[in-house]
Amino acid sequence: MHFDDILPILGEFGRYQKFQLFLICLTSIPISYFLQANTFMSASSDHYCKVYDNQTFHDTSPLKNCTIPYDADGETWDSCSRYDVNVSMGISPELCSQDSGTQDCDNGWVYDRSVYENTVVHEFNLVCNNDWMKQFSKSVVPFGNLFGGIIFGQLSDIFGRKPLFVITLISAAVFGVLAAFSPTYAAFVVCQFVLGVVSISTGLIGFVIVVELVGPSYRLTCSILTSFFLPIGEFLLAFSAIVFNGHWRKIQLFGGVISIIFIPYYWLVPESARWLMQRGNYGKAEKILRRAAQMNKVTLPNDIFDEEKEMLVSQDKIEKEIEDQNKTMLDLFKTPTLRKRTIYMCFNWFAVSLVYYGLALNTDQLGTNPYTTYVISGVVELPSYLLCWYLLDKIGRRWTMCSCMVFGGIALILSAIPDNNVISSAFAMVGKFFISGAFLIVYIFAVEIYPTPVRNAGLGLSSTCARIGSIISPYVILLTRIWHPTPFLIMAITSIIAGLLALLLPETRNKDLPETLEEGELFGMKRYKNCTDENEEEDTESFEMQSQCDVGENRLDEDTDKQRNEYREGLINDSFMDN
């Protein structure tokens, strides 16, 4: 008995699934807020050396002319050194004309606060020799994402989706508020790291909960709707940044307050019935399914799990359950086909995250008004999701993914060519349009390729590779100092390569989710027979016929029996060798 065998009676997308989908969608709001908050909180502005306390920023003034030298190009003010003059003596032509030499900014800096009232860069002086600390403050959240994807993705496959989901939601609320009161840069970084860990974990686990709850024909719809709430978080971020005039503590506190409203999810969100069934916990799974059936106004058979419960007492069944439990992401690399697909998927996640966050976190470098540019970059995501929604059902996952990555790469190449900020920003937004769609697709693609025992672990591994991309993205942008088009060319080439690799992955449109590692290895091959194939006759309305659609009968052709047995024997032999 598979979870997909019960869906024809329960309903693939009834009131119960819609309610759970709505709850999970709402969590996307604080997730996107925290993931991109450092776009404004760690933003930079013009600055130069301070020579006395309470000094204010001026584009030009007698004091600035007297104390600040020009850069080597002779056209821009030096932001990291000043003339060695004593301004307490007063500003005079004689004082300014003397050759006094230069020195470092020993009294700190004065910042242009016309756009940002107070950022982390202003408060902790993350400029000049400390400029790397500013870039690190932008990459520390993705760095936390990396650990969150590995740790919580694996733990949710072992201990269940709900416990880890609730823990991450509560942690986001707690550290979201604490981060706003960080007394030092170190405290700020620690809080941001934790927020990075829990925010991405909330998204990954919530996404899996939704996908495991609905039927194959509704997985795409649920995935799209979940992603539609991400721009809402971005708009809230832009709104708070504008209202609070870029004051980082107020922006951070606003995000923490938003997260508090999700604490009641402890009582509202159930465990994944699919996961419980895969673990052999049919008692809890039945309670959840009957509650769902009641809300969907349908009736499940009284003996729905009687056979499975009886089989649990047999030694063979116990051994099979032990074999399927406690799988790790290392199991994704034990068989050749699953190993190659995992590598291709991980590279696509790396590439799409590198480009997406390379553009999103550096919108202040793309236009004259950072708030307007950021809002535009968020707006372009919505039509991108709508286009992908249409194409994913028409041409499938592989070609849509490839198209988004390749066209996004081409747009970035074009953005690097013109020496015009407006045209370059326009092409960059076109690239963001396609990459946003690709970011949506990789979530759907990954969750449909990885089998149930390692679905969260596989998603966590892919997310980890994505975080590597987002971690290095702020530093890639720094390459503009060497040659302005360099970052865009690097992101473009990476995106195009990833798009071509996507064609090596199997098509997953309207396919049942693989329930075991064995099915994951054979998934997409001609010998793998899917119960929901579009060419199959619509004769599976009865529960009895649906229940026959399992691994031994309909999921795998008879031609693969020998291969399946050899696969199991290999796992058993490996297990004995390990022991």
Side-chain angles (χ1 to χ4, degrees):
M1 176 71 69
H2 286 277
F3 183 81
D4 290 321
D5 303 331
I6 301 174
L7 280 175
I9 295 179
L10 179 64
E12 291 190 63
F13 195 49
R15 293 172 59 189
Y16 180 79
Q17 287 101 324
K18 293 175 182 176
F19 177 66
Q20 295 300 325
L21 170 64
F22 177 71
L23 293 178
I24 299 299
C25 284
L26 290 178
T27 63
S28 297
I29 297 174
I31 291 172
S32 61
Y33 190 99
F34 287 134
L35 289 180
Q36 300 192 34
N38 278 304
T39 302
F40 299 109
M41 294 198 302
S42 297
S44 302
S45 61
D46 289 341
H47 56 276
Y48 54 83
C49 292
K50 181 192 296 184
V51 293
Y52 66 86
D53 294 338
N54 300 321
Q55 182 180 348
T56 57
F57 181 92
H58 294 281
D59 285 333
T60 183
S61 67
L63 177 63
K64 185 176 182 180
N65 291 333
C66 184
T67 58
I68 306 300
Y70 280 103
D71 280 334
D73 58 13
E75 297 181 357
T76 57
W77 298 101
D78 193 324
S79 59
C80 297
S81 65
R82 70 179 183 88
Y83 287 125
D84 186 14
V85 295
N86 185 358
V87 296
S88 63
M89 298 170 55
I91 304 300
S92 64
E94 294 78 13
L95 180 64
C96 294
S97 62
Q98 66 182 16
D99 186 11
S100 55
T102 61
Q103 66 178 55
D104 293 334
C105 301
D106 56 342
N107 198 35
W109 290 262
V110 57
Y111 298 94
D112 180 3
R113 299 179 185 270
S114 59
V115 178
Y116 305 109
E117 179 182 345
N118 184 36
T119 70
V120 174
V121 175
H122 297 166
E123 188 163 329
F124 301 117
N125 288 322
L126 308 183
V127 294
C128 298
N129 292 334
N130 292 331
D131 185 66
W132 68 271
M133 299 172 71
K134 177 194 70 177
Q135 301 302 329
F136 183 71
S137 69
K138 288 187 175 184
S139 62
V140 69
V141 171
F143 193 62
N145 295 162
L146 186 150
F147 283 88
I150 294 177
I151 298 173
F152 283 88
Q154 183 66 74
L155 291 178
S156 64
D157 277 333
I158 297 175
F159 298 106
R161 306 341 187 186
K162 178 178 178 177
L164 279 302
F165 185 67
V166 172
I167 289 173
T168 56
L169 282 173
I170 296 176
S171 299
V174 172
F175 283 90
V177 173
L178 288 178
F181 300 96
S182 301
T184 63
Y185 172 78
F188 170 78
V189 167
V190 170
C191 289
Q192 293 299 308
F193 175 80
V194 176
L195 286 173
V197 170
V198 298
S199 60
I200 196 63
S201 302
T202 301
L204 292 175
I205 300 171
F207 185 73
V208 170
I209 290 175
V210 168
V211 172
E212 291 187 339
L213 189 60
V214 301
S217 58
Y218 288 95
R219 288 200 301 263
L220 174 61
T221 300
C222 292
S223 302
I224 298 289
L225 291 176
T226 303
S227 299
F228 261 110
F229 281 73
L230 292 172
I232 296 178
E234 297 174 17
F235 295 146
L236 280 178
L237 174 61
F239 171 78
S240 65
I242 294 172
V243 170
F244 301 130
N245 196 28
H247 196 297
W248 77 268
R249 292 188 182 273
K250 297 176 182 178
I251 295 172
Q252 178 65 62
L253 183 61
F254 185 73
V257 172
I258 292 175
S259 301
I260 295 176
I261 66 175
F262 295 99
I263 294 179
Y265 274 42
Y266 175 82
W267 297 276
L268 297 175
V269 177
E271 182 56 87
S272 169
R274 187 188 294 267
W275 179 84
L276 289 170
M277 290 172 61
Q278 192 273 328
R279 301 284 291 190
N281 196 337
Y282 296 105
K284 289 185 178 180
E286 184 172 356
K287 290 181 180 179
I288 293 174
L289 289 173
R290 294 201 180 280
R291 191 181 311 130
Q294 183 180 9
M295 192 169 180
N296 287 351
K297 297 183 179 180
V298 297
T299 303
L300 296 178
N302 293 328
D303 58 349
I304 186 172
F305 289 132
D306 285 357
E307 183 179 351
E308 282 73 14
K309 292 176 181 177
E310 292 176 3
M311 291 177 66
L312 280 175
V313 301
S314 66
Q315 187 63 29
D316 291 342
K317 184 64 177 178
I318 293 175
E319 291 178 358
K320 181 63 171 65
E321 293 298 328
I322 293 175
E323 178 185 326
D324 281 344
Q325 291 178 7
N326 298 333
K327 296 298 182 181
T328 68
M329 61 181 62
L330 295 179
D331 289 281
L332 293 168
F333 296 92
K334 289 184 177 180
T335 52
T337 302
L338 202 54
R339 177 168 57 247
K340 288 187 292 185
R341 291 172 180 174
T342 301
I343 294 173
Y344 299 153
M345 184 61 69
C346 286
F347 187 79
N348 267 272
W349 278 68
F350 166 81
V352 74
S353 186
L354 171 68
V355 180
Y356 182 88
Y357 286 102
L359 296 174
L361 293 177
N362 293 278
T363 52
D364 57 330
Q365 306 295 322
L366 296 176
T368 56
N369 188 309
Y371 301 118
T372 302
T373 306
Y374 183 81
V375 171
I376 294 175
S377 73
V379 169
V380 300
E381 295 186 20
L382 297 176
S384 175
Y385 296 157
L386 290 173
L387 177 63
C388 288
W389 194 345
Y390 175 79
L391 294 177
L392 285 170
D393 261 342
K394 294 297 181 181
I395 66 176
R397 279 52 162 162
R398 288 193 310 161
W399 282 104
T400 307
M401 181 70 189
C402 174
S403 301
C404 285
M405 295 299 287
V406 171
F407 289 143
I410 293 174
L412 290 177
I413 292 176
L414 295 176
S415 72
I417 295 176
D419 188 18
N420 183 294
N421 195 40
V422 175
I423 298 177
S424 179
S425 298
F427 278 118
M429 290 301 102
V430 174
K432 177 76 182 307
F433 171 87
F434 286 110
I435 293 302
S436 298
F439 219 139
L440 165 69
I441 300 168
V442 290
Y443 271 91
I444 302 171
F445 217 167
V447 81
E448 292 179 337
I449 285 180
Y450 294 127
T452 299
V454 288
R455 181 163 295 124
N456 250 319
L459 206 59
L461 176 63
S462 298
S463 177
T464 297
C465 295
R467 299 321 136 198
I468 295 175
S470 55
I471 287 171
I472 67 175
S473 61
Y475 301 100
V476 171
I477 297 298
L478 288 179
L479 295 177
T480 53
R481 299 177 181 178
I482 300 176
W483 187 44
H484 188 270
T486 303
F488 298 96
L489 294 177
I490 291 176
M491 292 188 292
I493 294 172
T494 305
S495 180
I496 293 173
I497 293 174
L500 297 177
L501 287 177
L503 295 178
L504 300 177
L505 295 168
E507 182 54 60
T508 61
R509 180 180 51 158
N510 293 330
K511 307 295 184 183
D512 284 344
L513 297 178
E515 298 283 2
T516 65
L517 287 173
E518 179 186 358
E519 290 185 46
E521 176 68 11
L522 299 175
F523 183 74
M525 298 182 181
K526 292 182 178 179
R527 296 185 298 270
Y528 186 93
K529 191 174 182 181
N530 197 293
C531 304
T532 58
D533 191 90
E534 292 180 338
N535 298 322
E536 191 172 275
E537 295 183 2
E538 300 291 338
D539 60 352
T540 57
E541 292 182 358
S542 69
F543 177 75
E544 290 78 8
M545 295 187 68
Q546 278 291 326
S547 64
Q548 293 177 358
C549 188
D550 57 14
V551 176
E553 296 179 38
N554 287 351
R555 285 182 176 269
L556 299 174
D557 270 337
E558 293 179 358
D559 294 341
T560 63
D561 286 344
K562 181 178 179 181
Q563 182 177 354
R564 191 173 75 239
N565 291 333
E566 290 175 351
Y567 179 89
R568 286 179 173 174
E569 290 174 2
L571 288 178
I572 295 173
N573 291 336
D574 289 343
S575 178
F576 279 123
M577 291 295 293
D578 292 339
N579 292 332

